[in-house]
């Protein structure tokens, strides 16, 4: 099963554009990433630029509205993620506990939804959607 | 002690209960590290399990140590020393071993050395080669690999292959015994032997993957957990042997095939052929990884390895946004190359299909017709299906329709035979590398068991990509 390990660094919500982690923190993190890779569990990972370089699209009132970062209302923001493939939630937690994170960081672990996780009726709905796409396209 | 180890006590399910401590993934490296010292898989495995039990007892009170891997390794080594000391058959060589272990332990000021967390890559690689050693039967290699390297319980392996648990436990015990009896050294083979032995390792991983991708036993068509185990092992191997192009080729092949898993059946569980699949349901993450792995294999000079070539074929499908956009000329050329490096009638039949898509049905039909005399394909249902389809495309509708009907009858028979075959499978061997309904194609005089099994494997593997496959 797949899990996202979401890295939430405190203070990142107000970090200046272009803020980068320290070299020694990166070196420690690289060792951790290697351990994930050597165990065959790492599928993908990325670090994210601070929200001050991003934007949010709000849909309140039924109309998309864009605000540029930083976002005054945000208390916790993402700094990056790992996508891992492990056998259990416990193993995902065990991996997160090995992360050389600082006092200011939190890792949130969330399981990735698979089609089989959805209730029958949702699966049915999705299947109908697939068929629709199927017939709309001329497939030999 | 098989099946009674730490993980086994947690009911062995592949559910959260399976690994409450989240430590099971450390077992392979512990076993590998111990093997170097104790040279006995049974003892190494028990000591590794004991170390995990010790961790479960201590860590809740003392907290998780800074370096859990080193803590576990030290605990496991201490346990190994205790065992050897207590051993009634203590002999001179054991004395020497105990001394060596004690010295090793004294040198290990664990906790201080962060690098100790994963220091056992070489040992792990040795364990891979021991588990896939040619003195063992294919079934034993598969079971041992899943047990020692995949960290599965015997119960999990038994359920995955629909075989009684004691059968697997016995198979593993016997495998360990024959490794000890035959004095198989705990080493990575060197020189010329490496290529051959690596082939065996890759074959075991791909068999595990394929049992998950197109199950020969049981009523489920796929067993995704087995596919995931095989891919995880493939990633570990790619980390251990980063310079071996075929390791990356195999991993790429598995990831590219697995990317289609969600699209291979419709809501009722009916198989959907590759060209009819909803490509929106293909897993982009796995496709991206597969394409990158294939590029790595090619950069390492392995573009013509059998696994890299099959991955390249899978990549042609993965790159095509629609079925119409498939680069059939390239697929046909790749099958031509595959037929050169790993000749097989099934590859040739696949080539016929690809050539027909690229250059017209007549050219493909010529290739397929040439295969009619091949004894191995005499009862292979896809040959008449392919020929029928190509004939139909050429306008010879009557004969074509007959052959398509014959192919469909064979398919229906296979479908009907499935539940009965599943029941029989429970009583049979762990791995039966053949497509359902294919056994009849092979009489005993068609070659040695090995050659026949290889062909059966090819037929099965071919099924995943051939005309009727997906």
């Amino acid at each position: 099963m797949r899990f996202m390990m979401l890295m939430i660094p405190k203070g990142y919500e107000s970090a200046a554009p272009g803020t980068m982690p320290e070299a020694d923190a990166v070196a420690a993190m690289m060792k951790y990433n290697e351990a994930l890779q050597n165990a065959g569990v790492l599928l993908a990972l990325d670090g994210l630029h601070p929200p001050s370089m991003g934007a949010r699209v709000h849909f309140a009132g039924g109309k998309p509205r864009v605000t540029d970062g930083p976002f005054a209302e945000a208390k916790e923001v993402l700094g990056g993620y790992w996508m891992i493939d492990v056998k259990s939630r416990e193993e995902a937690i065990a991996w997160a506990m090995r992360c050389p994170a600082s006092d200011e960081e939190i890792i949130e672990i969330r399981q990735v939804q698979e089609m089989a996780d959805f209730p029958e009726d949702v699966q049915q709905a999705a299947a109908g959607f697939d068929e629709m796409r199927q017939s709309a396209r001329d497939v030999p | 002690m098989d099946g009674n180890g730490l993980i086994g006590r947690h009911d062995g399910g592949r559910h959260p209960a399976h690994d409450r401590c989240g430590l099971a993934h450390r077992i392979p490296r512990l076993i590998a590290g111990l093997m170097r010292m104790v040279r006995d898989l049974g003892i190494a495995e028990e000591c590794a399990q004991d170390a995990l039990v010790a961790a479960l007892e201590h860590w809740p009170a003392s907290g998780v140590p800074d370096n859990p891997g080193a803590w576990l390794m030290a605990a496991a080594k201490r346990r190994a020393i205790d065992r050897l000391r207590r051993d009634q058959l203590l002999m001179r060589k054991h004395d020497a071993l105990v001394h060596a272990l004690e010295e090793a332990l004294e040198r290990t000021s664990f906790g201080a050395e962060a690098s100790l967390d994963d220091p056992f890559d070489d040992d792990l690689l040795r364990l891979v080669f021991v588990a896939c050693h040619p003195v063992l039967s294919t079934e034993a290699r598969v079971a041992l690999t899943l047990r020692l390297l995949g960290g599965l319980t015997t119960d999990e392996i038994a359920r995955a292959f629909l075989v009684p648990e004691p059968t697997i436990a016995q198979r593993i015990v016997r495998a360990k015994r024959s490794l000890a009896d035959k004095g198989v050294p705990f080493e990575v083979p060197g020189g010329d032997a490496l290529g051959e032995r690596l082939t065996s390792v890759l074959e075991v991983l791909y068999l595990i993957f394929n049992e998950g991708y197109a199950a020969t036993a049981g009523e489920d068509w796929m067993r995704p957990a087995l596919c995931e185990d095989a891919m995880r092992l493939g990633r570990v191997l790619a980390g251990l042997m980063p310079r071996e192009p075929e390791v990356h080729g195999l991993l790429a092949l598995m990831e590219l095939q697995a990317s289609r898993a969600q699209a291979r059946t419709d809501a009722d569980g009916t198989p959907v052929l590759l060209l009819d699949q909803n490509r929106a349901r293909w897993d982009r993450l796995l496709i991206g990884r597969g394409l990158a792995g294939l590029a790595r294999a090619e950069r390492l000079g392995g573009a013509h390895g059998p696994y890299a070539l099959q991955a390249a074929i899978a990549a042609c499908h993965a790159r095509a946004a629609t079925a119409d956009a498939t680069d059939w000329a390239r697929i046909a050329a790749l099958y031509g190359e595959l037929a050169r490096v790993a000749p097989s009638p099934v590859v040739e039949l696949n080539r016929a299909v690809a050539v027909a898509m690229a250059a017209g049905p007549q050219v493909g039909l010529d290739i397929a017709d040439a295969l009619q005399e091949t004894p191995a394909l005499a009862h292979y249902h896809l040959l008449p299906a392919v020929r029928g389809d190509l004939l139909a495309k050429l306008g010879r509708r009557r004969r074509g329709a007959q052959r398509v009907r014959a192919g469909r009858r064979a398919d229906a028979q296979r479908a009907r035979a499935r539940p009965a075959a599943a029941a029989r499978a429970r009583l049979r061997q762990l791995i039966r590398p053949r497509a359902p309904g294919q056994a009849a194609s092979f009489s005993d005089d068609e070659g040695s068991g090995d050659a026949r099994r290889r062909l059966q494997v090819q037929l099965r593997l071919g099924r995943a990509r051939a005309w009727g496959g997906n």
Side-chain angles (χ1 to χ4, degrees), chain A residues 76-94:
Chain A
E76 288 184 339
V77 298
L78 289 179
Y81 70 89
W82 296 262
M83 173 90 88
I84 59 172
D85 176 44
V86 291
K87 290 185 184 179
S88 63
R89 180 174 173 273
E90 285 65 29
E91 193 184 334
I93 292 172

Side-chain angles (χ1 to χ4, degrees), chain A residues 6-86:
Chain A
L6 304 164
M7 173 58 92
I8 303 168
K10 252 185 233 156
Y12 211 49
E13 64 277 359
S14 55
T19 300
M20 286 290 171
E22 303 291 328
D24 50 346
V26 171
M29 204 56 90
M30 276 310 291
K31 285 200 66 172
Y32 175 64
N33 295 340
E34 270 169 33
L36 285 166
Q37 185 155 13
N38 291 342
V41 299
L42 183 64
L43 292 180
L45 78 170
D46 280 301
L48 303 176
H49 281 300
S52 50
M53 295 168 72
R56 281 188 172 185
V57 180
H58 302 261
F59 294 87
K63 224 171 141 187
R65 186 174 53 83
V66 180
T67 54
D68 286 324
F71 319 111
E73 74 277 17
K75 292 200 174 65
E76 288 184 339
V77 298
L78 289 179
Y81 70 89
W82 296 262
M83 173 90 88
I84 59 172
D85 176 44
V86 291

Side-chain angles (χ1 to χ4, degrees), chain B residues 8 74 102 120 123 127 144 193 197 205 218 244 318 332 342 346 351 415:
Chain B
E102 280 173 339
F120 308 114
D123 291 333
L127 190 60
L144 211 53
R197 295 280 303 279
L205 294 194
E244 287 293 338
V346 172
R351 190 171 77 86

Side-chain angles (χ1 to χ4, degrees), chain B residues 44-379:
Chain B
E45 203 185 350
E46 281 186 33
C47 294
Q49 304 272 9
D50 287 347
L52 259 62
V53 173
L56 276 186
E57 284 166 5
H58 285 90
W59 293 3
S62 66
V64 177
D66 289 344
N67 193 334
W71 191 101
L72 286 166
M73 196 68 222
K77 282 181 193 167
R78 269 197 216 100
R79 177 85 186 120
I81 294 173
D82 289 349
R83 268 192 61 104
L84 290 172
R85 278 204 183 120
R86 231 187 16 233
D87 201 325
Q88 306 246 317
L89 302 170
L90 198 71
M91 286 180 292
R92 199 168 277 256
K93 67 168 181 175
H94 278 148
D95 280 341
L97 204 55
V98 170
H99 283 305
L101 273 170
E102 280 173 339
E103 274 173 29
L105 199 56
E106 275 162 21
R107 283 197 302 274
T108 311
S109 55
F110 63 90
E113 293 175 52
S115 66
L116 253 182
D117 206 8
D118 287 305
F120 308 114
D121 278 2
D122 291 348
D123 291 333
L124 194 61
L125 190 55
R126 289 187 190 106
L127 190 60
V128 171
F129 278 95
V130 168
C132 298
H133 198 280
V135 300
L136 304 173
S137 67
T138 307
E139 297 81 19
R141 290 178 217 175
V142 166
L144 211 53
T145 300
L146 284 173
R147 175 82 177 116
L148 297 179
L149 296 157
L152 270 68
T153 63
T154 48
D155 183 46
E156 285 173 322
I157 302 171
R159 270 189 276 150
F161 289 95
L162 301 180
V163 176
E165 202 258 344
T167 308
I168 297 292
Q170 265 194 5
R171 190 169 289 160
I172 290 174
V173 168
R174 274 202 302 269
K176 286 180 192 163
R177 200 179 300 144
S178 37
L179 287 173
D181 289 349
K182 304 237 164 85
V184 168
F186 186 58
E187 64 182 21
V188 175
D192 294 344
L194 179 63
E196 204 179 307
R197 295 280 303 279
L198 181 58
T199 303
S200 168
V201 172
L202 299 179
E203 197 179 82
V204 167
L205 294 194
Y206 200 36
L207 272 174
I208 294 170
F209 179 84
N210 267 287
E211 187 59 28
Y213 200 68
T216 56
E219 303 192 19
D220 294 333
W221 197 40
M222 288 191 66
R223 299 174 192 283
L226 270 183
C227 291
E228 284 159 22
D229 286 325
M231 286 190 283
R232 225 174 275 133
L233 288 170
R235 287 182 206 119
V236 171
L237 192 62
L240 295 174
M241 305 187 86
R243 311 291 311 159
E244 287 293 338
E246 277 290 84
V247 175
H248 297 291
L250 171 61
L251 179 56
L253 173 60
M254 293 192 292
E255 290 183 324
L256 287 170
Q257 283 186 262
S259 75
R260 304 199 286 259
Q262 296 287 326
R264 293 177 77 219
T265 49
D266 65 14
D268 309 324
T270 313
V272 182
L273 297 186
L274 196 154
L275 297 184
D276 299 332
Q277 286 171 12
N278 177 359
R279 294 179 184 224
R281 295 183 71 178
W282 288 3
D283 188 322
R284 306 314 303 182
L285 178 63
L286 285 179
I287 288 176
R289 291 184 56 86
L291 295 177
L294 175 61
R296 202 166 302 129
E298 288 169 349
R299 270 201 309 279
L300 291 166
H304 299 284
Y307 289 113
L309 283 168
Q310 293 176 76
I313 292 165
C316 287
H317 295 299
R319 287 194 187 100
T322 64
D324 288 343
T326 310
D327 185 349
W328 288 106
R330 178 158 166 72
I331 293 176
L334 287 166
Y335 270 121
E337 184 58 22
L338 187 58
R340 198 179 63 77
V341 300
S344 111
V346 172
V347 169
E348 196 60 6
L349 186 60
N350 279 299
R351 190 171 77 86
V353 172
V355 166
M357 295 297 279
Q362 185 61 58
V363 202
L365 187 62
D366 292 344
I367 301 172
D369 282 348
L371 286 169
Q372 293 223 82
E373 304 305 315
T374 310
L377 293 188
H379 299 276

